[in-house]
Amino acid sequence: MTAQTSKEPAITPDLVAQHGLKPDEYQRILALIGREPTFTELGIFSAMWNEHCSYKSSRLHLKKLPTKAPWVIQGPGENAGIIDIGDGQAVAFKMESHNHPSYIEPYQGATTGVGGILRDVFTMGARPIACLNLLRFGSVDHPRTRHLVSGVVAGVGGYGNSFGVPTVGGSTEFHPSYDGNILVNAMAVGLVKTDEIFYAAATGVGRPIVYLGSKTGRDGIHGATMASAEFDADSDEKRPTVQVGDPFSEKLLLEACLEIMRKGCVVAIQDMGAAGLTSSAVEMGAKGNLGVELDLDKVPCRERGMTAYEMMLSESQERMLMVLDPDKEAEAEAIFRKWGLDFAVIGKTTDTLRFVIKHGGEIKADLPIKELGDQAPLYDRPHVPTQKPQKLDSAALPAPLTIGEALKKLVSCPDMASKRWVWEQYDHLILGNTIVAPGGDSAVVRIDDGPKGLALTTDVTARYCYADPVEGGKQAVAESWRNITAVGGKPLALTDNLNFGNPEKPEIMGQFVGCLQGIGEACRALDYPIVSGNVSLYNETQGKGILPTPAIGGVGLVADVTKAVGVAFKNPGEKLVLIGEGEGWLGQSIYLREIFGREEGAPPPVDLAAEKRNGDFVRDLISRGDVSSVHDLSDGGLAVAVAESAMAGKIGATVSAPGGDAPQNWFGEDQGRYLLAVPAAKADALLAAAKTAGVPAAIIGETGGDVLKLGADKPVLVRDLLEAHESWMPAYMSGGKA
Amino acid sequence: MKAAIVLFPGSNREGDAFRALKQAGADASIVWHDDHDLPAKTDLVVLPGGFSYGDYLRCGAIAGRAKIMDAVRAHAARGGFVLGICNGFQILCESGLLPGVLMRNRDLRFVCKRQFLRVERNDTVFTSAYKKHQAIDVAIAHGEGNYEAHEETIRELEDQGRVAFRYCNADAVVGGAANPNGSTNDIAGIYSEKLNVLGMMPHPENLIDPLVGGIDGRGLFASLVAA
């Protein structure tokens, strides 16, 4: 025992509990190091062993997910996943949550969420080319919702706009289950050459460990621990643990990091995210089978008198840790100074496999580095499967509204209304490569001068996951795959952000296990592996959990962006073709919820084989230039898909629903379906090709005019629908009636 | 046409400007804010969009006092062309090259969308490729684009024909709901007295490609290269 404990609090059971460590976890620490930890060491353990960093409740189940494919260069475990897109190019991407901080301080919570995920991507050597997000807020009637929406959206925009990356896609929805726990999931996508990827694992003994970026302050201490606990009535008092984002510093950090990477100065690099210096230094050493020794006297600090404990747990933003090639240290330093950033050698790699922290002439911590990560607790938490809900008898529902009336209500309900108010606050045009802008099925971003591009989307239907986690998990992946397909992309891989309640409750753990089972099945069937992700548990307030929300961030390759299509009808007089089939499934539908106020029944099942067959067929049509527009059918079914395409193109249509005019045929949310607009001359050939491929396809109408004629229903003016669709959110945010 | 794009810490649309200039046939290079001199024989200086110094002080205030700005002022005084886009316009106002100031948008939110502009005159080096009063479809992306100046200054700008662009709708009707930020007289861009310096909030450099929204932005760069 060499670690010294002068002027540090004594370790008591209370102090251990305050660090979020359970008594048996503390026993594990004692057994591991053979003595009582110092205060700094206790802080380090609490940072490494909380749920957020250790994945102790989820690891066991995450291992079962498919993560490999010939095009996967880097799966989960690094800062971001990486896939090969040919021509020596690769894409690095990841999604991460900043739920808890954003509820407490929405602007800063959201900015640091975006900043953190951008850092994860450029840490791997990739230049970020797009951001997306998935936001979930509480009921629109909840008194806090407007404030949270306003702050989060401004924060997401505030960071990305200044950093200079287009925010090209996302989704914003509302549900009372998020009243006390909003979700802010941010995804970043970057481009890197396959031979210029950087990793976290340190190599070589005695090499300098360099601290780069902003100075360390007292912000965010124990942020990751906060993210691993339920909220209670006092959560507002946790504001000091929310970090403050500085996109300007991050932009400089990006440029400086990419510059020293290009110059060959970097051996290993890790961003300081959750659990800051602790987690980054331990990961670099542990992954490289090396020890790490840090001298905290050399850490650039924003405030005087910071203790070792505070420095090790600070989550100050815009910081990086690197192992440099000793011969290029001076060159690297000059580049950082040019960008006006801090640069300090704060330690070295060792051959001891120990994590040693020195401060003020004392050793504050001396711990086995690999065990800090590897020996983190691993729980097989008890889980009970969610009971399968009964299937709703869709045909038995009354029809209190005409199809047109119901449609108008749906396209202007909070979840379905246009989110223009949101995405116009995001710079989605910078870099000049946004081919398909927000508001469609997937965004499409061109790579450099083309012709290749990426199709990007974030998806999850949480009400399905709540009703049936396995089907809901499948559906989230299938919808992501379908959205990429609908623009002409080949889905390649995904990142997931698993937002759930308290895993110590067997029914919540059951939702988690169920969703993962569904996600895994769909990923395997669709050849769509998971290459990175994040788990956010304990999304509960006063014992009430959120809907299980496994957000899926999908990435696909568009071989030629000149052939990408959007949802908007392009020309009048084109045939509308419905691909796929359904029975009119209204269980858990938006129609059932918005018209009847009922969230009931089983969600629509996903037939993964049909999904793949139909999608492959549609993608092939797009690549041959045979279709003018494509929209997948999801929330609100056929009627909403027709309406969205009409509103986007400002062109009407005449449509008959297969099966007749019963609401279930218009609003059923049966899966695996697409609406295509096809030049009339190509329609017959398309149907013949579908028949050969065994794909259900039918001509259901034609584009044209300025109204939607849906079956025998009274025509609806497209501009009336558009007005209702566009006006809800601005009216709501300006304080109008929800 | 030899163009120098000044890179400040926090600039982020320098690549977009570079692409537009290159497409138009200009010979463009990037100049570091801390340099004293522009490259020899520079015809056009471009101050690109972004958040110079984070815009943590008044937008453009710190960049307006950067070392390179002395050289930019001298270049303008010699009659050289200067184009400031978005943050670049804010920097031009802060550096004394253009009058007025860009205040926060009327509704206090950042706004990124497509926007029509009316070309007020087409007899300048920046707009010769457009028709007079043509409505061009470009983009805006700013939180502080609400142009304000003393009444007298506004009158001067108007009397001297120094308003370059005004916010309008697709039919070239200026103002009303087409004004996205509350800008005085719907001003989207202004010239210096000698018409050799242009500051504008919108982004013509993002509308140079039929695949990415359209090509109405090309005219500005084509005009400059033809000058």
Side-chain angles (χ1 to χ4, degrees), chain B residues 189-217:
Chain B
I190 57 170
Y191 295 112
S192 63
E193 271 184 68
K194 287 193 261 171
L195 304 177
N196 61 324
V197 179
L198 168 63
M200 62 190 298
M201 286 314 297
H203 292 284
E205 76 277 28
N206 283 135
L207 271 293
I208 57 165
D209 186 337
L211 270 183
V212 190
I215 56 170
D216 279 6

PDB file of all heavy atoms in Angstrom, chain B residues 189-217:
ATOM      1  N   GLY B 189     -28.341  42.162 -47.723  1.00  0.00           N
ATOM      2  CA  GLY B 189     -26.934  42.400 -48.024  1.00  0.00           C
ATOM      3  C   GLY B 189     -26.726  43.835 -48.462  1.00  0.00           C
ATOM      4  O   GLY B 189     -27.635  44.448 -49.040  1.00  0.00           O
ATOM      5  N   ILE B 190     -25.550  44.385 -48.162  1.00  0.00           N
ATOM      6  CA  ILE B 190     -25.264  45.779 -48.530  1.00  0.00           C
ATOM      7  C   ILE B 190     -23.857  45.909 -49.130  1.00  0.00           C
ATOM      8  O   ILE B 190     -22.984  45.075 -48.884  1.00  0.00           O
ATOM      9  CB  ILE B 190     -25.376  46.741 -47.328  1.00  0.00           C
ATOM     10  CG1 ILE B 190     -24.433  46.301 -46.199  1.00  0.00           C
ATOM     11  CG2 ILE B 190     -26.810  46.847 -46.831  1.00  0.00           C
ATOM     12  CD1 ILE B 190     -24.300  47.335 -45.080  1.00  0.00           C
ATOM     13  N   TYR B 191     -23.702  46.973 -49.907  1.00  0.00           N
ATOM     14  CA  TYR B 191     -22.398  47.290 -50.497  1.00  0.00           C
ATOM     15  C   TYR B 191     -21.727  48.439 -49.735  1.00  0.00           C
ATOM     16  O   TYR B 191     -22.395  49.249 -49.088  1.00  0.00           O
ATOM     17  CB  TYR B 191     -22.570  47.780 -51.937  1.00  0.00           C
ATOM     18  CG  TYR B 191     -23.111  46.766 -52.906  1.00  0.00           C
ATOM     19  CD1 TYR B 191     -24.379  46.920 -53.461  1.00  0.00           C
ATOM     20  CD2 TYR B 191     -22.332  45.680 -53.303  1.00  0.00           C
ATOM     21  CE1 TYR B 191     -24.866  46.013 -54.377  1.00  0.00           C
ATOM     22  CE2 TYR B 191     -22.826  44.764 -54.226  1.00  0.00           C
ATOM     23  CZ  TYR B 191     -24.083  44.929 -54.764  1.00  0.00           C
ATOM     24  OH  TYR B 191     -24.563  44.031 -55.670  1.00  0.00           O
ATOM     25  N   SER B 192     -20.413  48.514 -49.922  1.00  0.00           N
ATOM     26  CA  SER B 192     -19.674  49.700 -49.477  1.00  0.00           C
ATOM     27  C   SER B 192     -19.926  50.831 -50.483  1.00  0.00           C
ATOM     28  O   SER B 192     -20.507  50.611 -51.552  1.00  0.00           O
ATOM     29  CB  SER B 192     -18.175  49.384 -49.425  1.00  0.00           C
ATOM     30  OG  SER B 192     -17.723  49.066 -50.739  1.00  0.00           O
ATOM     31  N   GLU B 193     -19.442  52.023 -50.138  1.00  0.00           N
ATOM     32  CA  GLU B 193     -19.680  53.171 -51.017  1.00  0.00           C
ATOM     33  C   GLU B 193     -19.205  52.933 -52.440  1.00  0.00           C
ATOM     34  O   GLU B 193     -19.857  53.297 -53.399  1.00  0.00           O
ATOM     35  CB  GLU B 193     -18.962  54.407 -50.449  1.00  0.00           C
ATOM     36  CG  GLU B 193     -19.819  55.189 -49.482  1.00  0.00           C
ATOM     37  CD  GLU B 193     -19.103  56.446 -49.014  1.00  0.00           C
ATOM     38  OE1 GLU B 193     -18.898  57.367 -49.836  1.00  0.00           O
ATOM     39  OE2 GLU B 193     -18.733  56.462 -47.838  1.00  0.00           O
ATOM     40  N   LYS B 194     -18.026  52.319 -52.550  1.00  0.00           N
ATOM     41  CA  LYS B 194     -17.456  52.122 -53.890  1.00  0.00           C
ATOM     42  C   LYS B 194     -17.937  50.830 -54.550  1.00  0.00           C
ATOM     43  O   LYS B 194     -17.437  50.434 -55.610  1.00  0.00           O
ATOM     44  CB  LYS B 194     -15.927  52.127 -53.802  1.00  0.00           C
ATOM     45  CG  LYS B 194     -15.378  53.537 -53.564  1.00  0.00           C
ATOM     46  CD  LYS B 194     -13.874  53.603 -53.793  1.00  0.00           C
ATOM     47  CE  LYS B 194     -13.139  53.522 -52.456  1.00  0.00           C
ATOM     48  NZ  LYS B 194     -11.700  53.360 -52.573  1.00  0.00           N
ATOM     49  N   LEU B 195     -18.868  50.150 -53.890  1.00  0.00           N
ATOM     50  CA  LEU B 195     -19.481  48.923 -54.407  1.00  0.00           C
ATOM     51  C   LEU B 195     -18.482  47.775 -54.586  1.00  0.00           C
ATOM     52  O   LEU B 195     -18.760  46.828 -55.319  1.00  0.00           O
ATOM     53  CB  LEU B 195     -20.186  49.193 -55.757  1.00  0.00           C
ATOM     54  CG  LEU B 195     -21.249  50.293 -55.773  1.00  0.00           C
ATOM     55  CD1 LEU B 195     -21.790  50.493 -57.199  1.00  0.00           C
ATOM     56  CD2 LEU B 195     -22.403  49.967 -54.827  1.00  0.00           C
ATOM     57  N   ASN B 196     -17.344  47.885 -53.901  1.00  0.00           N
ATOM     58  CA  ASN B 196     -16.361  46.801 -54.040  1.00  0.00           C
ATOM     59  C   ASN B 196     -16.377  45.861 -52.831  1.00  0.00           C
ATOM     60  O   ASN B 196     -15.694  44.839 -52.815  1.00  0.00           O
ATOM     61  CB  ASN B 196     -14.946  47.361 -54.247  1.00  0.00           C
ATOM     62  CG  ASN B 196     -14.484  48.201 -53.078  1.00  0.00           C
ATOM     63  OD1 ASN B 196     -15.270  48.925 -52.454  1.00  0.00           O
ATOM     64  ND2 ASN B 196     -13.200  48.095 -52.760  1.00  0.00           N
ATOM     65  N   VAL B 197     -17.134  46.230 -51.806  1.00  0.00           N
ATOM     66  CA  VAL B 197     -17.278  45.356 -50.636  1.00  0.00           C
ATOM     67  C   VAL B 197     -18.751  44.981 -50.500  1.00  0.00           C
ATOM     68  O   VAL B 197     -19.613  45.855 -50.515  1.00  0.00           O
ATOM     69  CB  VAL B 197     -16.804  46.073 -49.343  1.00  0.00           C
ATOM     70  CG1 VAL B 197     -16.988  45.150 -48.132  1.00  0.00           C
ATOM     71  CG2 VAL B 197     -15.346  46.517 -49.477  1.00  0.00           C
ATOM     72  N   LEU B 198     -19.005  43.675 -50.404  1.00  0.00           N
ATOM     73  CA  LEU B 198     -20.388  43.202 -50.228  1.00  0.00           C
ATOM     74  C   LEU B 198     -20.469  42.343 -48.969  1.00  0.00           C
ATOM     75  O   LEU B 198     -19.694  41.402 -48.799  1.00  0.00           O
ATOM     76  CB  LEU B 198     -20.813  42.359 -51.440  1.00  0.00           C
ATOM     77  CG  LEU B 198     -22.125  41.555 -51.283  1.00  0.00           C
ATOM     78  CD1 LEU B 198     -23.327  42.454 -51.089  1.00  0.00           C
ATOM     79  CD2 LEU B 198     -22.342  40.628 -52.489  1.00  0.00           C
ATOM     80  N   GLY B 199     -21.406  42.687 -48.107  1.00  0.00           N
ATOM     81  CA  GLY B 199     -21.710  41.822 -46.960  1.00  0.00           C
ATOM     82  C   GLY B 199     -23.120  41.323 -47.099  1.00  0.00           C
ATOM     83  O   GLY B 199     -24.031  42.087 -47.422  1.00  0.00           O
ATOM     84  N   MET B 200     -23.327  40.014 -46.898  1.00  0.00           N
ATOM     85  CA  MET B 200     -24.679  39.447 -47.023  1.00  0.00           C
ATOM     86  C   MET B 200     -24.877  38.309 -46.029  1.00  0.00           C
ATOM     87  O   MET B 200     -23.960  37.532 -45.755  1.00  0.00           O
ATOM     88  CB  MET B 200     -24.916  38.955 -48.452  1.00  0.00           C
ATOM     89  CG  MET B 200     -23.983  37.845 -48.898  1.00  0.00           C
ATOM     90  SD  MET B 200     -24.104  37.481 -50.679  1.00  0.00           S
ATOM     91  CE  MET B 200     -25.819  36.953 -50.818  1.00  0.00           C
ATOM     92  N   MET B 201     -26.074  38.218 -45.471  1.00  0.00           N
ATOM     93  CA  MET B 201     -26.359  37.115 -44.537  1.00  0.00           C
ATOM     94  C   MET B 201     -26.600  35.791 -45.257  1.00  0.00           C
ATOM     95  O   MET B 201     -26.154  34.752 -44.788  1.00  0.00           O
ATOM     96  CB  MET B 201     -27.568  37.452 -43.648  1.00  0.00           C
ATOM     97  CG  MET B 201     -27.300  38.469 -42.550  1.00  0.00           C
ATOM     98  SD  MET B 201     -25.789  38.202 -41.585  1.00  0.00           S
ATOM     99  CE  MET B 201     -26.117  36.616 -40.806  1.00  0.00           C
ATOM    100  N   PRO B 202     -27.311  35.753 -46.374  1.00  0.00           N
ATOM    101  CA  PRO B 202     -27.611  34.454 -47.011  1.00  0.00           C
ATOM    102  C   PRO B 202     -26.371  33.771 -47.601  1.00  0.00           C
ATOM    103  O   PRO B 202     -25.310  34.387 -47.733  1.00  0.00           O
ATOM    104  CB  PRO B 202     -28.605  34.828 -48.118  1.00  0.00           C
ATOM    105  CG  PRO B 202     -29.147  36.152 -47.713  1.00  0.00           C
ATOM    106  CD  PRO B 202     -28.005  36.855 -47.047  1.00  0.00           C
ATOM    107  N   HIS B 203     -26.572  32.514 -47.949  1.00  0.00           N
ATOM    108  CA  HIS B 203     -25.463  31.674 -48.413  1.00  0.00           C
ATOM    109  C   HIS B 203     -25.625  31.290 -49.877  1.00  0.00           C
ATOM    110  O   HIS B 203     -26.171  30.222 -50.182  1.00  0.00           O
ATOM    111  CB  HIS B 203     -25.382  30.402 -47.566  1.00  0.00           C
ATOM    112  CG  HIS B 203     -24.982  30.656 -46.155  1.00  0.00           C
ATOM    113  ND1 HIS B 203     -23.687  30.942 -45.791  1.00  0.00           N
ATOM    114  CD2 HIS B 203     -25.706  30.705 -45.016  1.00  0.00           C
ATOM    115  CE1 HIS B 203     -23.631  31.137 -44.493  1.00  0.00           C
ATOM    116  NE2 HIS B 203     -24.836  31.012 -43.987  1.00  0.00           N
ATOM    117  N   PRO B 204     -25.119  32.113 -50.785  1.00  0.00           N
ATOM    118  CA  PRO B 204     -25.165  31.697 -52.191  1.00  0.00           C
ATOM    119  C   PRO B 204     -24.271  30.477 -52.421  1.00  0.00           C
ATOM    120  O   PRO B 204     -24.537  29.671 -53.324  1.00  0.00           O
ATOM    121  CB  PRO B 204     -24.626  32.926 -52.939  1.00  0.00           C
ATOM    122  CG  PRO B 204     -23.808  33.679 -51.943  1.00  0.00           C
ATOM    123  CD  PRO B 204     -24.461  33.422 -50.611  1.00  0.00           C
ATOM    124  N   GLU B 205     -23.240  30.325 -51.578  1.00  0.00           N
ATOM    125  CA  GLU B 205     -22.288  29.221 -51.799  1.00  0.00           C
ATOM    126  C   GLU B 205     -22.912  27.852 -51.545  1.00  0.00           C
ATOM    127  O   GLU B 205     -22.313  26.834 -51.881  1.00  0.00           O
ATOM    128  CB  GLU B 205     -21.031  29.424 -50.935  1.00  0.00           C
ATOM    129  CG  GLU B 205     -21.157  29.102 -49.452  1.00  0.00           C
ATOM    130  CD  GLU B 205     -21.756  30.216 -48.602  1.00  0.00           C
ATOM    131  OE1 GLU B 205     -22.548  31.008 -49.142  1.00  0.00           O
ATOM    132  OE2 GLU B 205     -21.445  30.272 -47.394  1.00  0.00           O
ATOM    133  N   ASN B 206     -24.101  27.792 -50.937  1.00  0.00           N
ATOM    134  CA  ASN B 206     -24.746  26.502 -50.725  1.00  0.00           C
ATOM    135  C   ASN B 206     -25.776  26.163 -51.801  1.00  0.00           C
ATOM    136  O   ASN B 206     -26.436  25.128 -51.731  1.00  0.00           O
ATOM    137  CB  ASN B 206     -25.400  26.449 -49.337  1.00  0.00           C
ATOM    138  CG  ASN B 206     -24.387  26.232 -48.224  1.00  0.00           C
ATOM    139  OD1 ASN B 206     -24.428  26.886 -47.201  1.00  0.00           O
ATOM    140  ND2 ASN B 206     -23.438  25.331 -48.446  1.00  0.00           N
ATOM    141  N   LEU B 207     -25.942  27.043 -52.759  1.00  0.00           N
ATOM    142  CA  LEU B 207     -26.896  26.764 -53.848  1.00  0.00           C
ATOM    143  C   LEU B 207     -26.165  26.832 -55.182  1.00  0.00           C
ATOM    144  O   LEU B 207     -26.362  27.746 -55.979  1.00  0.00           O
ATOM    145  CB  LEU B 207     -28.052  27.758 -53.807  1.00  0.00           C
ATOM    146  CG  LEU B 207     -29.273  27.389 -52.949  1.00  0.00           C
ATOM    147  CD1 LEU B 207     -30.007  26.175 -53.538  1.00  0.00           C
ATOM    148  CD2 LEU B 207     -28.905  27.105 -51.501  1.00  0.00           C
ATOM    149  N   ILE B 208     -25.296  25.849 -55.383  1.00  0.00           N
ATOM    150  CA  ILE B 208     -24.476  25.855 -56.597  1.00  0.00           C
ATOM    151  C   ILE B 208     -24.573  24.517 -57.314  1.00  0.00           C
ATOM    152  O   ILE B 208     -23.775  24.200 -58.184  1.00  0.00           O
ATOM    153  CB  ILE B 208     -22.998  26.144 -56.256  1.00  0.00           C
ATOM    154  CG1 ILE B 208     -22.468  25.117 -55.261  1.00  0.00           C
ATOM    155  CG2 ILE B 208     -22.832  27.557 -55.709  1.00  0.00           C
ATOM    156  CD1 ILE B 208     -20.948  25.091 -55.144  1.00  0.00           C
ATOM    157  N   ASP B 209     -25.565  23.716 -56.942  1.00  0.00           N
ATOM    158  CA  ASP B 209     -25.579  22.329 -57.382  1.00  0.00           C
ATOM    159  C   ASP B 209     -27.037  21.880 -57.530  1.00  0.00           C
ATOM    160  O   ASP B 209     -27.797  21.941 -56.569  1.00  0.00           O
ATOM    161  CB  ASP B 209     -24.880  21.512 -56.282  1.00  0.00           C
ATOM    162  CG  ASP B 209     -24.689  20.069 -56.650  1.00  0.00           C
ATOM    163  OD1 ASP B 209     -25.439  19.576 -57.512  1.00  0.00           O
ATOM    164  OD2 ASP B 209     -23.801  19.428 -56.065  1.00  0.00           O
ATOM    165  N   PRO B 210     -27.430  21.458 -58.738  1.00  0.00           N
ATOM    166  CA  PRO B 210     -28.836  21.077 -58.937  1.00  0.00           C
ATOM    167  C   PRO B 210     -29.275  19.959 -57.986  1.00  0.00           C
ATOM    168  O   PRO B 210     -30.439  19.866 -57.626  1.00  0.00           O
ATOM    169  CB  PRO B 210     -28.883  20.618 -60.397  1.00  0.00           C
ATOM    170  CG  PRO B 210     -27.478  20.492 -60.848  1.00  0.00           C
ATOM    171  CD  PRO B 210     -26.628  21.325 -59.956  1.00  0.00           C
ATOM    172  N   LEU B 211     -28.343  19.121 -57.563  1.00  0.00           N
ATOM    173  CA  LEU B 211     -28.693  18.022 -56.662  1.00  0.00           C
ATOM    174  C   LEU B 211     -28.943  18.507 -55.243  1.00  0.00           C
ATOM    175  O   LEU B 211     -29.590  17.849 -54.447  1.00  0.00           O
ATOM    176  CB  LEU B 211     -27.536  17.018 -56.611  1.00  0.00           C
ATOM    177  CG  LEU B 211     -27.524  15.886 -57.596  1.00  0.00           C
ATOM    178  CD1 LEU B 211     -26.323  15.007 -57.300  1.00  0.00           C
ATOM    179  CD2 LEU B 211     -28.809  15.079 -57.525  1.00  0.00           C
ATOM    180  N   VAL B 212     -28.349  19.638 -54.909  1.00  0.00           N
ATOM    181  CA  VAL B 212     -28.460  20.152 -53.549  1.00  0.00           C
ATOM    182  C   VAL B 212     -29.257  21.450 -53.581  1.00  0.00           C
ATOM    183  O   VAL B 212     -28.770  22.513 -53.242  1.00  0.00           O
ATOM    184  CB  VAL B 212     -27.071  20.349 -52.898  1.00  0.00           C
ATOM    185  CG1 VAL B 212     -27.195  20.640 -51.412  1.00  0.00           C
ATOM    186  CG2 VAL B 212     -26.205  19.127 -53.114  1.00  0.00           C
ATOM    187  N   GLY B 213     -30.468  21.360 -54.078  1.00  0.00           N
ATOM    188  CA  GLY B 213     -31.385  22.482 -53.969  1.00  0.00           C
ATOM    189  C   GLY B 213     -31.467  23.406 -55.163  1.00  0.00           C
ATOM    190  O   GLY B 213     -32.491  24.019 -55.387  1.00  0.00           O
ATOM    191  N   GLY B 214     -30.407  23.563 -55.922  1.00  0.00           N
ATOM    192  CA  GLY B 214     -30.485  24.470 -57.065  1.00  0.00           C
ATOM    193  C   GLY B 214     -29.187  25.209 -57.308  1.00  0.00           C
ATOM    194  O   GLY B 214     -28.200  24.994 -56.603  1.00  0.00           O
ATOM    195  N   ILE B 215     -29.209  26.077 -58.301  1.00  0.00           N
ATOM    196  CA  ILE B 215     -27.957  26.704 -58.740  1.00  0.00           C
ATOM    197  C   ILE B 215     -28.045  28.227 -58.757  1.00  0.00           C
ATOM    198  O   ILE B 215     -27.210  28.895 -59.360  1.00  0.00           O
ATOM    199  CB  ILE B 215     -27.532  26.191 -60.134  1.00  0.00           C
ATOM    200  CG1 ILE B 215     -28.659  26.412 -61.144  1.00  0.00           C
ATOM    201  CG2 ILE B 215     -27.148  24.731 -60.069  1.00  0.00           C
ATOM    202  CD1 ILE B 215     -28.222  26.161 -62.584  1.00  0.00           C
ATOM    203  N   ASP B 216     -29.018  28.783 -58.042  1.00  0.00           N
ATOM    204  CA  ASP B 216     -29.169  30.233 -58.077  1.00  0.00           C
ATOM    205  C   ASP B 216     -28.009  30.982 -57.425  1.00  0.00           C
ATOM    206  O   ASP B 216     -27.840  32.181 -57.635  1.00  0.00           O
ATOM    207  CB  ASP B 216     -30.483  30.656 -57.392  1.00  0.00           C
ATOM    208  CG  ASP B 216     -31.685  30.491 -58.316  1.00  0.00           C
ATOM    209  OD1 ASP B 216     -31.500  29.950 -59.425  1.00  0.00           O
ATOM    210  OD2 ASP B 216     -32.797  30.896 -57.919  1.00  0.00           O
ATOM    211  N   GLY B 217     -27.228  30.285 -56.622  1.00  0.00           N
ATOM    212  CA  GLY B 217     -26.091  30.944 -55.963  1.00  0.00           C
ATOM    213  C   GLY B 217     -24.897  31.134 -56.891  1.00  0.00           C
ATOM    214  O   GLY B 217     -24.010  31.946 -56.625  1.00  0.00           O
TER     215      GLY B 217
END
